[in-house]
Amino acid sequence: MNAMPHKIDDTRELHEDSLGESVLRHLIYSVGKDKAHADARDWNVALSLAVRDRMVEGWIDTTRRIYKNKQKRVYYLSMEFMIGRMLEDNLTNLGLLSEAKTFLKSQNLDVTTVINAEQDAALGNGGLGRLAACFMDSMATTGVAGMGYGIRYQHGIFRQAVEDGWQVEEPEDWLFAGNSWEFRRPEVVYEIGFGGHVTHDEDGKATWHPSESVQAVAFDMPIAGWEGDHVNTLRLWSARQSGMMNLDTFNDGDFMAAARQQVLAETISKVLYPGDHTPQGRELRLKQEVFFTSASLHDLLRRFFANYDNLDTLGDHVAVQLNDTHPAIAVPELIRILMDDHGYDFDHALKITRETLHYTNHTLLPEALEKWPRDLFEQILPRHLQIINMIDGAFYREAIEKGLDHHIIAGIQAIHPHQQDWVRMGNLAFIGSRKVNGVSALHTELMKQTVFHDLHTMYPDKIINQTNGVTPRRWLLECNPGLSDLVTEQIGDGWIDDLEQLKEIEPLATDADFQQRYMAVKAANKQRLADMVKTRTGVILNSDAIFDVQIKRIHEYKRQHMNILETIALYNAIKANPDGDWQPRVKIFAGKAAPSYFFAKLIIKLINDVAKVVNNDPDIGDKLKVVFLPNYNVSMAEILIPGADLSEQISTAGFEASGTGNMKFALNGALTIGTLDGANVEMLEHVDAENIFIFGMNADEVAERQHRRARPSEIIKTSPALQQVMTQIGDGTFSDGDTDRYRDFLSNVTEHDYFQVVPDFQSYWDMQRHLDALYGQSEKWAEKTILNTARMGWFSSDRTIRSYADQIWRAPHKTSGP
Ligand code: 26V
């Protein structure tokens, strides 16, 4: 499949060179090296530039088409884009992968080595950022006129090292060798103000006089959809000092003071906040949010004015999606621009804003709901604070009209009228948006019942569900070429942008020959995974074992600790009966803990402590291995997911908003052991109860137990296995006799256990043993594996994006299917 050649105007065909010729040209003229001296990175850069050249024509074409057709534009504002590597994605979408492979081979180069020479762009923490990256791919594939806006962090998520079993954070420097994909746009630059004061003229018109400002400079990356003809833009903002270095200071000889100013300004886009569900109410974070949101709004309005001369109809031509509350400052900022720069009155400005903005919620955890001290707001954003008060005033009148009482209204305004201490960004985003969505059916239901209960009563049509999805290009076609080829051989390649076609392999689930071929692919993927584990940790895996994988941010609600407790119990059971007929297992963990989240770091230490004991116990041998892979990232996921037999999705029910890793695993034929949480609920509906392994309490049962603060002690008393595990953790069995290390861990689990590890433990254990037995019946296992792949088509992010486009953005897109 070759990308269509594009023409710019009536000029000559620009790519008469073969891809290989372009690469050699770039190697010499862009990288400045000859073949004899080029290393893998040089080749990577030369190839990337050759591919980038071939994206540009489609990019310019797309831009012109959208402009000419006045297609409704969609802007995805996100603090995070967890992209990973781009080369294979772009080669694939442009249909250049096999040509590139052939060329690299002709130069005696190893394709994987060249592809892997690219640094991951890890400008995100976890699910929220990765979802934004999948959405960029799907907006391009479905022909949505979409543009992503974010921050060009100089340093993405920290690199995780493990020293003596503990997580150690190391600096990340993805840009050190440059970024082949980006275009610097020095002419696209906006002044972003902070601080200062507000004056009003005789007519009451306000003017904000910021006391400091920084510049936001644009960097663009082209995002090509499947088959390369629709190319959107990801625009990331970089902070720069306003104006030149202060010359007076410079002339005074105080060069250092001038340089200091520059450093301070550039701090804003220096580093990604590594908290995930754990906000640090830091001034710099607020400035980052304002910085990228304000620059993005100014930029999209400038583009709007190229087609229209009046902002009254903004919402007809533009839809803005706020990825969580991080860009929620867009609500007062857009109103401010409309009022102070364009002369709208407040009511009209609010109306236009509410026709344009939409807000996605990604978590119900109370500690993750952003709020800012009112005083900090006053200091940094005095005009925005005034506008928020006006919004609250208008909201109050609406609420009274709808018959809500004062007490309830106070709880859902942006600022509580009596306490006045916090600006609550969730409430602000809700009030200022046209639609508010959750990311799975269960999550959306719980939004209505809990955090947004009163706002939902007031606006019963505002909350809507949009179940997450994942891009089938990266998460099947590219990461699992073996399975992709097998599927394509059977049903053709229409599934790549119409994933529900995978249904057509359903009849093959019981076909012995197909089962054998599918499982041969799985075995090869397991081998690739085992090779990586050996390289990175030295642990040698038995590929007959169940590869049982839990990879995600480390968090109590995700319950990696329940998994490790079950691992210890299994270890004990094997030791008690070493000659038993045990199904061998490999427990693989990976994920980062927020640097300030001690308990999460302790879980990592416990996993590594258990690994050390188990992996070196001669009684155990190949029956059980435990591995913690350091520095989990997108590229590592691309190897882990295709090689997994079993996917751990075991969050406390009601706490995982959706999950997207769950979808990637099932699509690649791992069976899920999981709770009725997030999108697992909908996966159950799609793959059927016999093909997914659900255990434990549901969200209602969890809420009920948490509400009555039920203690775990009664349950522990009835479980000798669990008792033994707790005793061993306490007596130093896994900590070289150190009885102190896990004191906090034990009291957490045995006394409070907010995340319900103890009550769910037995059903988790039972389900694991059921899966052990099932794995022994290899045909049955293969059938379920195939049915998972066949029935996961609905979880394509193409479906999700079409649904946003229809139900939220009211924006055109290509329909799926032939
Ligand atoms: C919150 C905060 C709070 C302030 C500090 C930095 C920070 C960074 C990220 C977040 C948002 C965390 C929310 C999140 O990632 N939610 C995940 O979103 C996924 C995509 O919808 C979803 O699949 C996961 O279930 C959900 O946990």
Side-chain angles (χ1 to χ4, degrees), residues 80 127-128 275-279 285 326 362 439 468 557 656-659:
E80 307 190 4
L128 167 142
D276 178 73
H277 301 91
T278 42
R285 165 89 185 182
H326 314 157
H362 294 270
V439 291
N468 284 166
Y557 86 78
E656 189 69 89
S658 164

Side-chain angles (χ1 to χ4, degrees), residues 557-578:
Y557 86 78
K558 295 176 185 284
R559 299 199 293 192
Q560 282 93 354
H561 55 321
M562 185 166 79
N563 188 348
I564 200 69
L565 296 184
E566 190 267 340
T567 305
I568 299 172
L570 177 59
Y571 168 69
N572 291 334
I574 298 172
K575 273 202 79 88
N577 177 16

